[in-house]
Amino acid sequence: MARHSDTPTEPGPHLHAEGEADTLKITRWKLLRGKQEIRLKVGTQTMGRGFDNDIVIESAGASRLHARLHVSLELVTIEDAGSTNGVFINGERIKFSHDLVEGDRILIGTVEYVVADTSSNRPDILPSSEPASPKPSDAPRDTPVAEDPSAWRSSPPADQEEEEVDTTEKCDAIATLGRLADRMLVMGRTDAAVRILGGHLRSVLDAVRRNEKLDEATLRGATQYGMKLTGATNDGRWIDYVIDLHLTIGRLMEPETVRQIQMRIAQGVCIDQKLLRQYKLVVQELMARGDEFDRMIGEMILGLGDE
């Protein structure tokens, strides 16, 4: 029986290329997505949004290099390649790698694949019409995504390969992941919603720290879901995220956002007062060179936290 090594081998040939690497053995394993079938060969195949991957995943929630499949004649192992939004197997996020069996469902971004074994003829191995939902029981306790959004302010942006994602893709990811998170919130699965959105919200904040331009739709989406997570968790660190985002880009918050924050504070939600004071200094500068509407919003912001 072939033995699987945990040491990644060199990436195999692109699965869409024709006539390449005829010496590589095609295994009994394949991935199913709708009518699409991907036969896996011995070696390592990469998965991600980048077009240089063996399996290209057209989802804004996928990282440029998202995962690796290590394939032998008898075994397939999937490895998270340091992605932002994670790899989910049967609804649970894996931390490092996972040995796959027939019927396993792989969720990357919003794209789902089902593992199939051609040596069997199970009729039930078919991709579902809707991606499996991540389970709240699988929160990686050592990541700030689900635990501590305030940690994002004290740590430098991660050196990730998706640094150059353009603003259109960021906007698409907010919309796509937001819809999935909304379903989790409706079901009362708050932890799952936090994990789904947390990594991408962090990437938005990291981007503006690198002085990347942030389009209005992405700013609105990040603010909206920051406030939604505040309401779902009663965790003021999501308000801190919204304030930090506007502080970093030097923008006044929308009046409705200010009203929501004031309401949460009145309900006893605690926020970072030092961060708020820093933002108020920027707001005063914006008021000094703004119009009457800016000054009205500015006065609302300056009143945040007042007893």
Side-chain angles (χ1 to χ4, degrees):
M1 178 180 294
R3 296 176 60 87
H4 168 71
S5 171
D6 290 331
T7 303
T9 59
E10 290 299 316
H14 297 281
L15 297 182
H16 49 72
E18 297 182 358
E20 290 186 2
D22 293 332
T23 58
L24 285 183
K25 295 181 179 179
I26 293 180
T27 69
R28 69 178 196 245
W29 304 103
K30 61 183 178 180
L31 301 182
L32 306 178
R33 183 193 175 200
K35 296 182 179 179
Q36 180 186 16
E37 289 190 5
I38 301 175
R39 294 294 297 270
L40 301 180
K41 297 179 180 180
V42 171
T44 299
Q45 281 98 64
T46 58
M47 307 176 72
R49 195 182 66 248
F51 289 107
D52 56 343
N53 286 289
D54 299 308
I55 302 174
V56 177
I57 300 175
E58 297 180 355
S59 170
S63 298
R64 184 164 294 147
L65 172 59
H66 200 105
R68 298 183 182 90
L69 290 168
H70 304 297
V71 186
S72 70
L73 294 176
E74 301 297 331
L75 182 67
V76 182
T77 300
I78 190 167
E79 170 197 359
D80 191 325
S83 66
T84 296
N85 295 315
V87 175
F88 292 84
I89 306 298
N90 302 324
E92 297 188 3
R93 182 170 182 167
I94 66 173
K95 290 186 178 181
F96 303 107
S97 62
H98 183 89
D99 291 340
L100 298 170
V101 297
E102 185 177 32
D104 278 346
R105 297 178 181 274
I106 304 169
L107 181 65
I108 294 179
T110 56
V111 174
E112 183 183 74
Y113 296 96
V114 177
V115 178
D117 183 347
T118 57
S119 65
S120 70
N121 293 304
R122 284 180 55 183
D124 58 317
I125 304 301
L126 292 173
S128 62
S129 59
E130 183 171 316
S133 300
K135 295 180 181 179
S137 60
D138 183 60
R141 295 296 131 186
D142 56 347
T143 66
V145 170
E147 290 299 310
D148 189 1
S150 64
W152 304 346
R153 299 199 303 276
S154 57
S155 60
D159 183 18
Q160 298 172 340
E161 291 193 23
E162 55 263 52
E163 286 184 357
E164 302 303 322
V165 176
D166 64 31
T167 54
T168 299
E169 290 184 354
K170 291 184 189 299
C171 179
D172 290 344
I174 285 281
T176 301
L177 297 176
R179 286 192 293 269
L180 183 57
D182 283 337
R183 290 202 294 271
M184 296 298 102
L185 292 175
V186 168
M187 296 167 62
R189 300 172 65 175
T190 303
D191 286 352
V194 170
R195 289 200 310 279
I196 289 166
L197 282 169
H200 187 71
L201 291 179
R202 174 172 186 163
S203 72
V204 172
L205 184 56
D206 287 348
V208 298
R209 285 174 175 164
R210 294 191 298 268
N211 296 318
E212 293 183 18
K213 185 178 179 181
L214 190 65
D215 66 282
E216 292 294 327
T218 302
L219 175 60
R220 285 195 303 270
T223 300
Q224 173 189 355
Y225 282 104
M227 295 308 302
K228 278 191 176 184
L229 292 178
T230 301
T233 63
N234 286 321
D235 189 340
R237 290 172 295 187
W238 291 110
I239 292 179
D240 295 340
Y241 168 83
V242 173
I243 293 174
D244 198 6
L245 185 60
H246 287 78
L247 169 64
T248 304
I249 63 177
R251 286 283 299 273
L252 295 170
M253 290 184 288
E254 294 294 325
E256 180 57 29
T257 302
V258 182
R259 283 191 285 267
Q260 290 180 29
I261 292 175
Q262 187 68 68
M263 180 184 68
R264 296 300 177 189
I265 293 174
Q267 292 172 346
V269 175
C270 297
I271 65 173
D272 187 330
Q273 293 296 326
K274 181 179 178 180
L275 180 69
L276 179 59
R277 287 193 295 271
Q278 292 174 344
Y279 181 49
K280 286 182 177 181
L281 292 176
V282 173
V283 167
Q284 289 174 334
E285 295 177 1
L286 295 172
M287 291 171 63
R289 60 175 183 263
D291 57 21
E292 183 176 351
F293 184 71
D294 292 335
R295 289 189 288 273
M296 182 271 290
I297 299 176
E299 290 295 341
M300 293 175 62
I301 296 172
L302 294 180
L304 286 175
D306 291 347
E307 297 295 337

